[in-house]
Amino acid sequence: AYQASSQTEMELELSRQIRARLMAEADLAAKTRELTRANADLESFAAIVSHDLKAPLRHIRIIADDLIVQASKDSAYCEEANKLLQLQDLSRRMSHMLTELFDYASLGRKYEALAATDLAAIVQGIIDSLPADGFELRVEGVWPVISTLAAPLDLILRNLIQNAIQHHDRTHGQIVLQCAEAAGHLKISVTDDGPGIDPHHHAAVFLPFRTLERRSSAGGTGMGLAMVKKTVETAGGSIEIVSDPARSRGTQFIVKWPKLITI
């Protein structure tokens, strides 16, 4: 009787555990479906916004072009022509922001298959394609050939280098790219000798449409570092900033890029 009772209790407990596990799996599946739907809605919304708002912006630029041509023929309308040029620049920048908003929303769903990638070749290709007049770009460390996602890594390095050039307070400077192997990841850093970033703003620079400079002077939309952070984290890595202008000039972005990426 005791054995039968114990067996019955065990069967009941096992039944409860199975039921609890099935409920947990069902809940997880529902949340996964909801997350997938939310991501799809976000990408769809970003695409619609990007497409629908770009059309009137193009129309604004066309009208501004015509008015600028007319105003340039009469010196009395010089001030109006300058305002139209500002309008052109603002509409162009808005169009760029919309494109980057769509790219940001789509990150994580554009990855190609893993492939053997020569990191040194990627870095050299980026350097050769960037207009870095006045800046010395130096590559140090060991950049291996690994099986990884080439396009996202290219996006990360390209944006970090462009960011260092764009936000430098001088027309000349030095940017150092380094790579070292660590346990389970590559430690990749991009270091500049620019003005630096106050530690209080380290988290803010990774937020969408955030920039520490006047937008007109920097020329950016504030999406570059946001896309970098999202791309790194989507691949399973991390990024941090080392910079304190109160102590010394310069900013270093350190990326921990996983050697093994699970898609």
Side-chain angles (χ1 to χ4, degrees):
Y2 174 77
Q3 290 178 348
S5 177
S6 299
Q7 185 174 1
T8 301
E9 291 177 359
M10 290 176 60
E11 289 174 348
L12 290 173
E13 179 61 25
L14 180 60
S15 177
R16 282 194 294 267
Q17 291 182 8
I18 292 174
R19 187 165 58 252
R21 180 174 179 177
L22 290 174
M23 291 176 64
E25 289 177 350
D27 184 57
L28 178 60
K31 290 181 178 178
T32 300
R33 287 193 298 271
E34 179 63 21
L35 180 60
T36 301
R37 185 194 61 78
N39 286 335
D41 288 347
L42 175 61
E43 185 169 356
S44 176
F45 172 75
I48 292 171
V49 170
S50 177
H51 178 271
D52 290 356
L53 292 186
K54 277 185 178 182
L57 285 172
R58 283 193 297 270
H59 193 56
I60 289 173
R61 288 202 301 272
I62 292 172
I63 294 175
D65 286 340
D66 293 338
L67 292 175
I68 289 172
V69 172
Q70 296 176 22
S72 63
K73 296 178 181 179
D74 191 338
S75 59
Y77 293 98
C78 182
E79 183 178 351
E80 285 76 6
N82 289 332
K83 290 181 179 179
L84 288 170
L85 287 172
Q86 293 178 7
L87 178 64
Q88 266 190 326
D89 183 64
L90 290 173
S91 63
R92 188 177 295 109
R93 184 176 174 279
M94 177 62 75
S95 179
H96 189 201
M97 288 175 65
L98 290 170
T99 298
E100 293 197 333
L101 175 63
F102 176 64
D103 290 343
Y104 180 79
S106 302
L107 282 176
R109 289 176 289 279
K110 291 183 175 179
Y111 285 166
E112 74 275 28
L114 292 169
T117 304
D118 187 342
L119 302 189
I122 285 183
V123 172
Q124 192 57 51
I126 294 172
I127 292 175
D128 292 342
S129 68
L130 289 177
D133 295 341
F135 287 87
E136 177 190 355
L137 276 66
R138 196 167 75 242
V139 181
E140 299 179 351
V142 178
W143 297 79
V145 176
I146 63 172
S147 180
T148 190
L149 299 166
L153 192 55
D154 183 289
L155 179 149
I156 292 165
L157 294 172
R158 188 177 298 275
N159 272 278
L160 290 179
I161 296 172
Q162 286 178 326
N163 184 76
I165 296 172
Q166 185 176 356
H167 296 283
H168 206 290
D169 58 345
R170 299 171 181 170
T171 57
H172 63 278
Q174 186 179 85
I175 301 171
V176 180
L177 289 81
Q178 294 178 311
C179 182
E181 293 196 53
H185 67 271
L186 297 177
K187 182 180 179 182
I188 301 172
S189 64
V190 177
T191 308
D192 64 60
D193 58 353
I197 302 174
D198 190 291
H200 293 94
H201 299 144
H202 285 186
V205 298
F206 289 117
L207 297 176
F209 300 123
R210 293 292 184 92
T211 177
L212 302 182
E213 297 179 350
R214 291 175 56 88
R215 295 190 187 277
S216 57
S217 63
T221 62
M223 284 297 293
L225 291 179
M227 288 195 292
V228 165
K229 187 174 188 295
K230 185 173 182 181
T231 304
V232 171
E233 293 179 348
T234 300
S238 64
I239 184 170
E240 62 176 307
I241 303 175
V242 178
S243 182
D244 188 352
R247 297 184 178 183
S248 62
R249 287 178 59 85
T251 299
Q252 182 181 56
F253 286 91
I254 301 175
V255 175
K256 292 183 179 178
W257 186 259
K259 293 181 181 178
L260 179 62
I261 297 178
T262 303
I263 299 180

